Amino acid sequence: MSLAKVSRHRGHQPLTAVGRLLDELEDLVDVTTLAVALITVGGTLGGTLGGTVLSQRANREQNERADREREQERHEQAIQARRDLYARLNTTARAYRVAARDAVEAAKRGESLDPALLESAKEAWADEYSQAQMALAKDVLDVASTLNRSLGIGYAVVKHLPSSPDLDGAYQRADTWFSGPLSDGVYLLRVTLRHDLGVEVDPRFEETRAQMLSTLGSARDNLAQLLAAEGAQTSEPAA
């Protein structure tokens, strides 16, 4: 209530129509002033709280976006590292097979080939295969492991040539191994690596892989038995 209104009431002045109108106007002014003050305070608080909420949301979205970007970067780096490993594994497998085959071809021609070439290819493959064992998925490792043993038999074929009792047969056997089962094994490794990377997609790949692995394993075992039998024969003392 305004001072003028109180003064009129204290003086016991009778309220005329004009007086009552003034009182009502003064009450309206007081209410309006209060409402304006409340709205102003509310707007200030609301603006502050709203700004805080928006700032927190923006920070949260920024952090989430940064987390997604880091995760995507780690994913891409992992894929690239796997591609690099697969490329080296494929390259060294092919180089090892070619070096062994070239050694056989040189021996057939009676030429001397630097044995360091084959040893270097063998060591390069061994290094990559050793690293791959810690990173390859089981189905890929099965192929790489089978090929590793098969490459080892190819190495034994080359080393066995000088002591073979039947050179023509040994050369024929070596040619068959390097151009047939071992070549197929290197091819299988390449296709398996590409399939694992998603580069090649074949719905019947698992069936094909299992069949080629079985064929390679059987051929390797048969060749190993032949080499062992010849080794035992050449080591027997002459009668």
Side-chain angles (χ1 to χ4, degrees):
M1 183 180 295
S2 67
L3 292 177
K5 185 175 180 181
V6 172
S7 176
R8 286 197 300 272
H9 287 178
R10 286 179 178 178
H12 302 288
Q13 297 177 356
L15 294 176
T16 63
V18 174
R20 286 194 297 275
L21 179 58
L22 291 175
D23 287 344
E24 292 174 358
L25 289 174
E26 290 174 356
D27 289 341
L28 180 59
V29 170
D30 291 341
V31 172
T32 301
T33 302
L34 178 60
V36 170
L38 290 175
I39 292 173
T40 301
V41 173
T44 301
L45 292 175
T48 301
L49 292 176
T52 301
V53 171
L54 290 176
S55 177
Q56 291 176 346
R57 180 182 299 174
N59 289 336
R60 183 171 64 253
E61 291 177 351
Q62 183 178 1
N63 292 335
E64 291 175 351
R65 183 167 57 253
D67 290 340
R68 288 194 300 270
E69 290 175 354
R70 284 192 294 268
E71 181 63 27
Q72 180 65 24
E73 183 178 358
R74 285 193 295 267
H75 179 67
E76 292 176 354
Q77 289 176 348
I79 292 178
Q80 187 59 49
R82 188 170 57 171
R83 285 175 178 168
D84 293 342
L85 173 61
Y86 284 7
R88 295 193 305 270
L89 201 64
N90 178 63
T91 299
T92 53
R94 292 177 57 191
Y96 189 7
R97 170 189 164 272
V98 169
R101 184 201 61 190
D102 289 349
V104 173
E105 293 298 323
K108 287 170 61 177
R109 295 190 300 267
E111 299 175 358
S112 177
L113 191 66
D114 186 359
L117 296 176
L118 178 57
E119 296 300 327
S120 176
K122 177 176 179 290
E123 291 176 4
W125 161 258
D127 289 342
E128 296 301 334
Y129 175 67
S130 177
Q131 296 183 39
Q133 286 180 295
M134 306 300 295
L136 295 181
K138 183 181 182 305
D139 55 344
V140 183
L141 181 59
D142 288 343
V143 174
S145 178
T146 301
L147 180 60
N148 179 60
R149 294 192 295 271
S150 301
L151 288 167
I153 290 296
Y155 180 82
V157 166
V158 175
K159 296 300 182 181
H160 183 74
L161 285 175
S163 60
S164 177
D166 180 10
L167 276 178
D168 290 339
Y171 288 141
Q172 181 61 41
R173 184 172 57 206
D175 288 340
T176 300
W177 174 249
F178 288 114
S179 63
L182 190 58
S183 179
D184 292 342
V186 173
Y187 169 77
L188 176 61
L189 175 66
R190 180 175 68 85
V191 175
T192 300
L193 297 177
R194 289 172 61 85
H195 188 272
D196 188 62
L197 290 173
V199 178
E200 292 186 12
V201 179
D202 182 358
R204 299 186 59 185
F205 172 74
E206 291 302 325
E207 179 182 348
T208 302
R209 182 181 68 87
Q211 183 178 359
M212 293 185 68
L213 270 181
S214 177
T215 301
L216 178 60
S218 297
R220 183 198 66 237
D221 292 343
N222 291 336
L223 181 54
Q225 290 175 2
L226 288 174
L227 293 177
E230 281 195 3
Q233 181 180 357
T234 57
S235 63
E236 290 179 356

mmCIF file of all heavy atoms in Angstrom, residues 99-140:
data_model
loop_
_atom_site.group_PDB
_atom_site.id
_atom_site.type_symbol
_atom_site.label_atom_id
_atom_site.label_comp_id
_atom_site.label_asym_id
_atom_site.label_seq_id
_atom_site.Cartn_x
_atom_site.Cartn_y
_atom_site.Cartn_z
ATOM 1 N N ALA A 99 62.962 -68.517 -54.349
ATOM 2 C CA ALA A 99 64.391 -68.741 -54.109
ATOM 3 C C ALA A 99 64.708 -70.233 -54.105
ATOM 4 O O ALA A 99 65.731 -70.669 -54.659
ATOM 5 C CB ALA A 99 64.805 -68.104 -52.787
ATOM 6 N N ALA A 100 63.842 -71.035 -53.491
ATOM 7 C CA ALA A 100 64.066 -72.485 -53.464
ATOM 8 C C ALA A 100 63.918 -73.077 -54.867
ATOM 9 O O ALA A 100 64.723 -73.925 -55.283
ATOM 10 C CB ALA A 100 63.083 -73.136 -52.496
ATOM 11 N N ARG A 101 62.914 -72.622 -55.587
ATOM 12 C CA ARG A 101 62.729 -73.125 -56.955
ATOM 13 C C ARG A 101 63.913 -72.756 -57.842
ATOM 14 O O ARG A 101 64.382 -73.583 -58.649
ATOM 15 C CB ARG A 101 61.450 -72.539 -57.541
ATOM 16 C CG ARG A 101 61.078 -73.050 -58.931
ATOM 17 C CD ARG A 101 60.155 -72.078 -59.615
ATOM 18 N NE ARG A 101 60.805 -70.773 -59.787
ATOM 19 C CZ ARG A 101 60.154 -69.676 -60.184
ATOM 20 N NH1 ARG A 101 58.852 -69.714 -60.402
ATOM 21 N NH2 ARG A 101 60.818 -68.535 -60.333
ATOM 22 N N ASP A 102 64.394 -71.536 -57.702
ATOM 23 C CA ASP A 102 65.549 -71.103 -58.504
ATOM 24 C C ASP A 102 66.792 -71.925 -58.177
ATOM 25 O O ASP A 102 67.624 -72.192 -59.066
ATOM 26 C CB ASP A 102 65.828 -69.620 -58.260
ATOM 27 C CG ASP A 102 64.763 -68.717 -58.874
ATOM 28 O OD1 ASP A 102 63.933 -69.225 -59.662
ATOM 29 O OD2 ASP A 102 64.759 -67.503 -58.557
ATOM 30 N N ALA A 103 66.921 -72.302 -56.917
ATOM 31 C CA ALA A 103 68.072 -73.129 -56.531
ATOM 32 C C ALA A 103 68.001 -74.495 -57.216
ATOM 33 O O ALA A 103 69.024 -75.038 -57.653
ATOM 34 C CB ALA A 103 68.102 -73.294 -55.014
ATOM 35 N N VAL A 104 66.795 -75.042 -57.320
ATOM 36 C CA VAL A 104 66.620 -76.320 -58.009
ATOM 37 C C VAL A 104 66.932 -76.162 -59.492
ATOM 38 O O VAL A 104 67.632 -77.007 -60.091
ATOM 39 C CB VAL A 104 65.180 -76.847 -57.811
ATOM 40 C CG1 VAL A 104 64.942 -78.096 -58.669
ATOM 41 C CG2 VAL A 104 64.922 -77.160 -56.342
ATOM 42 N N GLU A 105 66.427 -75.098 -60.105
ATOM 43 C CA GLU A 105 66.665 -74.881 -61.528
ATOM 44 C C GLU A 105 68.159 -74.693 -61.803
ATOM 45 O O GLU A 105 68.684 -75.196 -62.815
ATOM 46 C CB GLU A 105 65.884 -73.653 -62.004
ATOM 47 C CG GLU A 105 64.367 -73.838 -61.977
ATOM 48 C CD GLU A 105 63.911 -74.944 -62.907
ATOM 49 O OE1 GLU A 105 64.511 -75.089 -64.000
ATOM 50 O OE2 GLU A 105 62.974 -75.675 -62.539
ATOM 51 N N ALA A 106 68.842 -73.984 -60.951
ATOM 52 C CA ALA A 106 70.284 -73.783 -61.122
ATOM 53 C C ALA A 106 71.028 -75.108 -61.000
ATOM 54 O O ALA A 106 71.967 -75.387 -61.763
ATOM 55 C CB ALA A 106 70.799 -72.787 -60.088
ATOM 56 N N ALA A 107 70.619 -75.937 -60.058
ATOM 57 C CA ALA A 107 71.267 -77.238 -59.883
ATOM 58 C C ALA A 107 71.043 -78.116 -61.116
ATOM 59 O O ALA A 107 71.949 -78.847 -61.552
ATOM 60 C CB ALA A 107 70.733 -77.925 -58.627
ATOM 61 N N LYS A 108 69.860 -78.058 -61.685
ATOM 62 C CA LYS A 108 69.576 -78.840 -62.891
ATOM 63 C C LYS A 108 70.473 -78.421 -64.055
ATOM 64 O O LYS A 108 70.891 -79.252 -64.864
ATOM 65 C CB LYS A 108 68.102 -78.678 -63.286
ATOM 66 C CG LYS A 108 67.137 -79.408 -62.384
ATOM 67 C CD LYS A 108 65.699 -79.020 -62.658
ATOM 68 C CE LYS A 108 65.287 -79.346 -64.074
ATOM 69 N NZ LYS A 108 63.854 -79.033 -64.321
ATOM 70 N N ARG A 109 70.774 -77.136 -64.134
ATOM 71 C CA ARG A 109 71.620 -76.630 -65.228
ATOM 72 C C ARG A 109 73.105 -76.776 -64.899
ATOM 73 O O ARG A 109 73.960 -76.412 -65.705
ATOM 74 C CB ARG A 109 71.296 -75.161 -65.502
ATOM 75 C CG ARG A 109 69.890 -74.914 -66.021
ATOM 76 C CD ARG A 109 69.731 -73.479 -66.496
ATOM 77 N NE ARG A 109 69.969 -72.530 -65.421
ATOM 78 C CZ ARG A 109 69.019 -72.019 -64.642
ATOM 79 N NH1 ARG A 109 67.749 -72.406 -64.821
ATOM 80 N NH2 ARG A 109 69.309 -71.155 -63.699
ATOM 81 N N GLY A 110 73.396 -77.256 -63.716
ATOM 82 C CA GLY A 110 74.788 -77.408 -63.313
ATOM 83 C C GLY A 110 75.433 -76.088 -62.958
ATOM 84 O O GLY A 110 76.674 -75.970 -62.968
ATOM 85 N N GLU A 111 74.622 -75.097 -62.630
ATOM 86 C CA GLU A 111 75.144 -73.773 -62.291
ATOM 87 C C GLU A 111 75.296 -73.635 -60.785
ATOM 88 O O GLU A 111 74.617 -74.306 -59.999
ATOM 89 C CB GLU A 111 74.223 -72.687 -62.827
ATOM 90 C CG GLU A 111 74.063 -72.703 -64.343
ATOM 91 C CD GLU A 111 73.045 -71.691 -64.817
ATOM 92 O OE1 GLU A 111 72.437 -71.001 -63.973
ATOM 93 O OE2 GLU A 111 72.843 -71.598 -66.047
ATOM 94 N N SER A 112 76.155 -72.739 -60.411
ATOM 95 C CA SER A 112 76.358 -72.458 -58.992
ATOM 96 C C SER A 112 75.536 -71.222 -58.613
ATOM 97 O O SER A 112 75.657 -70.167 -59.235
ATOM 98 C CB SER A 112 77.842 -72.202 -58.712
ATOM 99 O OG SER A 112 78.029 -71.865 -57.344
ATOM 100 N N LEU A 113 74.681 -71.382 -57.616
ATOM 101 C CA LEU A 113 73.839 -70.282 -57.148
ATOM 102 C C LEU A 113 74.220 -69.932 -55.721
ATOM 103 O O LEU A 113 74.435 -70.822 -54.886
ATOM 104 C CB LEU A 113 72.361 -70.689 -57.207
ATOM 105 C CG LEU A 113 71.339 -69.570 -57.000
ATOM 106 C CD1 LEU A 113 71.418 -68.578 -58.162
ATOM 107 C CD2 LEU A 113 69.929 -70.141 -56.903
ATOM 108 N N ASP A 114 74.325 -68.653 -55.455
ATOM 109 C CA ASP A 114 74.705 -68.199 -54.122
ATOM 110 C C ASP A 114 73.721 -68.741 -53.088
ATOM 111 O O ASP A 114 72.535 -68.379 -53.096
ATOM 112 C CB ASP A 114 74.732 -66.671 -54.088
ATOM 113 C CG ASP A 114 75.259 -66.136 -52.764
ATOM 114 O OD1 ASP A 114 75.578 -66.950 -51.874
ATOM 115 O OD2 ASP A 114 75.340 -64.893 -52.619
ATOM 116 N N PRO A 115 74.156 -69.612 -52.200
ATOM 117 C CA PRO A 115 73.239 -70.178 -51.201
ATOM 118 C C PRO A 115 72.689 -69.129 -50.240
ATOM 119 O O PRO A 115 71.662 -69.365 -49.594
ATOM 120 C CB PRO A 115 74.109 -71.202 -50.458
ATOM 121 C CG PRO A 115 75.518 -70.742 -50.674
ATOM 122 C CD PRO A 115 75.541 -70.132 -52.037
ATOM 123 N N ALA A 116 73.352 -67.971 -50.172
ATOM 124 C CA ALA A 116 72.878 -66.914 -49.272
ATOM 125 C C ALA A 116 71.508 -66.389 -49.695
ATOM 126 O O ALA A 116 70.751 -65.886 -48.854
ATOM 127 C CB ALA A 116 73.884 -65.766 -49.220
ATOM 128 N N LEU A 117 71.195 -66.500 -50.979
ATOM 129 C CA LEU A 117 69.891 -66.028 -51.468
ATOM 130 C C LEU A 117 68.760 -66.835 -50.839
ATOM 131 O O LEU A 117 67.758 -66.268 -50.369
ATOM 132 C CB LEU A 117 69.835 -66.128 -52.995
ATOM 133 C CG LEU A 117 70.814 -65.244 -53.764
ATOM 134 C CD1 LEU A 117 70.716 -65.522 -55.261
ATOM 135 C CD2 LEU A 117 70.533 -63.768 -53.479
ATOM 136 N N LEU A 118 68.921 -68.140 -50.833
ATOM 137 C CA LEU A 118 67.893 -68.993 -50.230
ATOM 138 C C LEU A 118 67.851 -68.798 -48.716
ATOM 139 O O LEU A 118 66.763 -68.723 -48.124
ATOM 140 C CB LEU A 118 68.167 -70.456 -50.569
ATOM 141 C CG LEU A 118 67.200 -71.484 -49.959
ATOM 142 C CD1 LEU A 118 65.762 -71.189 -50.352
ATOM 143 C CD2 LEU A 118 67.597 -72.905 -50.381
ATOM 144 N N GLU A 119 69.000 -68.700 -48.095
ATOM 145 C CA GLU A 119 69.033 -68.527 -46.636
ATOM 146 C C GLU A 119 68.401 -67.199 -46.227
ATOM 147 O O GLU A 119 67.685 -67.124 -45.224
ATOM 148 C CB GLU A 119 70.481 -68.598 -46.138
ATOM 149 C CG GLU A 119 71.150 -69.940 -46.368
ATOM 150 C CD GLU A 119 70.425 -71.079 -45.677
ATOM 151 O OE1 GLU A 119 69.858 -70.858 -44.588
ATOM 152 O OE2 GLU A 119 70.415 -72.191 -46.239
ATOM 153 N N SER A 120 68.663 -66.171 -46.999
ATOM 154 C CA SER A 120 68.088 -64.862 -46.700
ATOM 155 C C SER A 120 66.565 -64.884 -46.826
ATOM 156 O O SER A 120 65.837 -64.333 -45.985
ATOM 157 C CB SER A 120 68.678 -63.797 -47.634
ATOM 158 O OG SER A 120 68.074 -62.545 -47.417
ATOM 159 N N ALA A 121 66.073 -65.534 -47.888
ATOM 160 C CA ALA A 121 64.621 -65.642 -48.083
ATOM 161 C C ALA A 121 63.991 -66.458 -46.957
ATOM 162 O O ALA A 121 62.901 -66.139 -46.472
ATOM 163 C CB ALA A 121 64.334 -66.285 -49.437
ATOM 164 N N LYS A 122 64.680 -67.501 -46.544
ATOM 165 C CA LYS A 122 64.182 -68.347 -45.453
ATOM 166 C C LYS A 122 64.081 -67.554 -44.148
ATOM 167 O O LYS A 122 63.084 -67.641 -43.419
ATOM 168 C CB LYS A 122 65.121 -69.538 -45.278
ATOM 169 C CG LYS A 122 64.773 -70.494 -44.127
ATOM 170 C CD LYS A 122 65.734 -71.667 -44.133
ATOM 171 C CE LYS A 122 65.443 -72.636 -42.989
ATOM 172 N NZ LYS A 122 65.796 -72.037 -41.683
ATOM 173 N N GLU A 123 65.100 -66.772 -43.846
ATOM 174 C CA GLU A 123 65.107 -65.990 -42.609
ATOM 175 C C GLU A 123 64.054 -64.884 -42.643
ATOM 176 O O GLU A 123 63.408 -64.593 -41.625
ATOM 177 C CB GLU A 123 66.496 -65.391 -42.394
ATOM 178 C CG GLU A 123 67.569 -66.420 -42.058
ATOM 179 C CD GLU A 123 68.949 -65.803 -41.934
ATOM 180 O OE1 GLU A 123 69.040 -64.559 -42.038
ATOM 181 O OE2 GLU A 123 69.922 -66.555 -41.744
ATOM 182 N N ALA A 124 63.881 -64.255 -43.806
ATOM 183 C CA ALA A 124 62.884 -63.190 -43.926
ATOM 184 C C ALA A 124 61.484 -63.732 -43.666
ATOM 185 O O ALA A 124 60.678 -63.120 -42.947
ATOM 186 C CB ALA A 124 62.955 -62.553 -45.311
ATOM 187 N N TRP A 125 61.176 -64.890 -44.238
ATOM 188 C CA TRP A 125 59.882 -65.516 -43.985
ATOM 189 C C TRP A 125 59.741 -65.893 -42.509
ATOM 190 O O TRP A 125 58.684 -65.667 -41.903
ATOM 191 C CB TRP A 125 59.703 -66.759 -44.848
ATOM 192 C CG TRP A 125 58.648 -67.675 -44.317
ATOM 193 C CD1 TRP A 125 58.840 -68.836 -43.620
ATOM 194 C CD2 TRP A 125 57.227 -67.498 -44.402
ATOM 195 N NE1 TRP A 125 57.636 -69.395 -43.270
ATOM 196 C CE2 TRP A 125 56.629 -68.603 -43.734
ATOM 197 C CE3 TRP A 125 56.406 -66.526 -44.965
ATOM 198 C CZ2 TRP A 125 55.247 -68.744 -43.629
ATOM 199 C CZ3 TRP A 125 55.026 -66.667 -44.861
ATOM 200 C CH2 TRP A 125 54.455 -67.762 -44.207
ATOM 201 N N ALA A 126 60.790 -66.464 -41.935
ATOM 202 C CA ALA A 126 60.723 -66.882 -40.533
ATOM 203 C C ALA A 126 60.444 -65.694 -39.616
ATOM 204 O O ALA A 126 59.665 -65.803 -38.657
ATOM 205 C CB ALA A 126 62.025 -67.568 -40.129
ATOM 206 N N ASP A 127 61.045 -64.564 -39.896
ATOM 207 C CA ASP A 127 60.825 -63.364 -39.077
ATOM 208 C C ASP A 127 59.369 -62.901 -39.160
ATOM 209 O O ASP A 127 58.734 -62.604 -38.137
ATOM 210 C CB ASP A 127 61.750 -62.234 -39.528
ATOM 211 C CG ASP A 127 63.206 -62.497 -39.157
ATOM 212 O OD1 ASP A 127 63.450 -63.345 -38.276
ATOM 213 O OD2 ASP A 127 64.093 -61.848 -39.754
ATOM 214 N N GLU A 128 58.842 -62.828 -40.383
ATOM 215 C CA GLU A 128 57.461 -62.367 -40.551
ATOM 216 C C GLU A 128 56.460 -63.364 -39.979
ATOM 217 O O GLU A 128 55.472 -62.975 -39.352
ATOM 218 C CB GLU A 128 57.163 -62.119 -42.033
ATOM 219 C CG GLU A 128 57.988 -61.012 -42.661
ATOM 220 C CD GLU A 128 57.805 -59.675 -41.964
ATOM 221 O OE1 GLU A 128 56.740 -59.459 -41.343
ATOM 222 O OE2 GLU A 128 58.727 -58.854 -42.034
ATOM 223 N N TYR A 129 56.730 -64.639 -40.174
ATOM 224 C CA TYR A 129 55.826 -65.661 -39.642
ATOM 225 C C TYR A 129 55.822 -65.633 -38.118
ATOM 226 O O TYR A 129 54.773 -65.812 -37.481
ATOM 227 C CB TYR A 129 56.239 -67.039 -40.150
ATOM 228 C CG TYR A 129 55.430 -68.168 -39.561
ATOM 229 C CD1 TYR A 129 54.080 -68.308 -39.867
ATOM 230 C CD2 TYR A 129 56.007 -69.091 -38.683
ATOM 231 C CE1 TYR A 129 53.333 -69.337 -39.322
ATOM 232 C CE2 TYR A 129 55.266 -70.126 -38.144
ATOM 233 C CZ TYR A 129 53.932 -70.235 -38.468
ATOM 234 O OH TYR A 129 53.187 -71.254 -37.920
ATOM 235 N N SER A 130 56.987 -65.397 -37.537
ATOM 236 C CA SER A 130 57.077 -65.320 -36.077
ATOM 237 C C SER A 130 56.224 -64.180 -35.537
ATOM 238 O O SER A 130 55.521 -64.331 -34.529
ATOM 239 C CB SER A 130 58.537 -65.137 -35.658
ATOM 240 O OG SER A 130 58.650 -64.995 -34.258
ATOM 241 N N GLN A 131 56.282 -63.034 -36.189
ATOM 242 C CA GLN A 131 55.456 -61.901 -35.768
ATOM 243 C C GLN A 131 53.978 -62.172 -36.015
ATOM 244 O O GLN A 131 53.115 -61.812 -35.205
ATOM 245 C CB GLN A 131 55.883 -60.640 -36.508
ATOM 246 C CG GLN A 131 57.296 -60.169 -36.200
ATOM 247 C CD GLN A 131 57.631 -58.881 -36.913
ATOM 248 O OE1 GLN A 131 56.810 -57.978 -37.029
ATOM 249 N NE2 GLN A 131 58.838 -58.792 -37.426
ATOM 250 N N ALA A 132 53.681 -62.805 -37.141
ATOM 251 C CA ALA A 132 52.289 -63.046 -37.508
ATOM 252 C C ALA A 132 51.594 -63.991 -36.541
ATOM 253 O O ALA A 132 50.382 -63.887 -36.327
ATOM 254 C CB ALA A 132 52.220 -63.608 -38.925
ATOM 255 N N GLN A 133 52.337 -64.911 -35.949
ATOM 256 C CA GLN A 133 51.734 -65.862 -35.022
ATOM 257 C C GLN A 133 51.047 -65.169 -33.854
ATOM 258 O O GLN A 133 50.103 -65.713 -33.278
ATOM 259 C CB GLN A 133 52.805 -66.823 -34.489
ATOM 260 C CG GLN A 133 53.247 -67.864 -35.492
ATOM 261 C CD GLN A 133 54.308 -68.782 -34.915
ATOM 262 O OE1 GLN A 133 55.417 -68.361 -34.602
ATOM 263 N NE2 GLN A 133 53.975 -70.046 -34.763
ATOM 264 N N MET A 134 51.505 -63.972 -33.500
ATOM 265 C CA MET A 134 50.934 -63.246 -32.378
ATOM 266 C C MET A 134 49.736 -62.394 -32.779
ATOM 267 O O MET A 134 49.054 -61.844 -31.915
ATOM 268 C CB MET A 134 52.009 -62.334 -31.758
ATOM 269 C CG MET A 134 53.287 -63.046 -31.374
ATOM 270 S SD MET A 134 52.998 -64.359 -30.153
ATOM 271 C CE MET A 134 52.446 -63.376 -28.762
ATOM 272 N N ALA A 135 49.474 -62.294 -34.086
ATOM 273 C CA ALA A 135 48.435 -61.365 -34.538
ATOM 274 C C ALA A 135 47.359 -62.002 -35.408
ATOM 275 O O ALA A 135 46.270 -61.449 -35.531
ATOM 276 C CB ALA A 135 49.082 -60.213 -35.309
ATOM 277 N N LEU A 136 47.646 -63.153 -36.002
ATOM 278 C CA LEU A 136 46.712 -63.737 -36.969
ATOM 279 C C LEU A 136 45.514 -64.378 -36.275
ATOM 280 O O LEU A 136 45.631 -64.964 -35.199
ATOM 281 C CB LEU A 136 47.421 -64.793 -37.810
ATOM 282 C CG LEU A 136 48.541 -64.314 -38.723
ATOM 283 C CD1 LEU A 136 49.116 -65.490 -39.498
ATOM 284 C CD2 LEU A 136 48.058 -63.227 -39.668
ATOM 285 N N ALA A 137 44.357 -64.252 -36.930
ATOM 286 C CA ALA A 137 43.177 -64.983 -36.488
ATOM 287 C C ALA A 137 43.398 -66.477 -36.738
ATOM 288 O O ALA A 137 44.236 -66.869 -37.547
ATOM 289 C CB ALA A 137 41.945 -64.495 -37.241
ATOM 290 N N LYS A 138 42.627 -67.317 -36.060
ATOM 291 C CA LYS A 138 42.879 -68.757 -36.097
ATOM 292 C C LYS A 138 42.821 -69.320 -37.511
ATOM 293 O O LYS A 138 43.684 -70.109 -37.908
ATOM 294 C CB LYS A 138 41.873 -69.490 -35.211
ATOM 295 C CG LYS A 138 42.135 -70.995 -35.145
ATOM 296 C CD LYS A 138 41.119 -71.703 -34.289
ATOM 297 C CE LYS A 138 41.445 -73.202 -34.197
ATOM 298 N NZ LYS A 138 41.557 -73.839 -35.517
ATOM 299 N N ASP A 139 41.811 -68.946 -38.303
ATOM 300 C CA ASP A 139 41.693 -69.520 -39.642
ATOM 301 C C ASP A 139 42.855 -69.083 -40.528
ATOM 302 O O ASP A 139 43.350 -69.864 -41.344
ATOM 303 C CB ASP A 139 40.358 -69.140 -40.282
ATOM 304 C CG ASP A 139 40.128 -67.648 -40.303
ATOM 305 O OD1 ASP A 139 40.834 -66.925 -39.580
ATOM 306 O OD2 ASP A 139 39.240 -67.202 -41.054
ATOM 307 N N VAL A 140 43.316 -67.835 -40.345
ATOM 308 C CA VAL A 140 44.459 -67.355 -41.119
ATOM 309 C C VAL A 140 45.741 -68.034 -40.623
ATOM 310 O O VAL A 140 46.614 -68.413 -41.419
ATOM 311 C CB VAL A 140 44.596 -65.825 -41.017
ATOM 312 C CG1 VAL A 140 45.753 -65.329 -41.878
ATOM 313 C CG2 VAL A 140 43.294 -65.149 -41.441
#
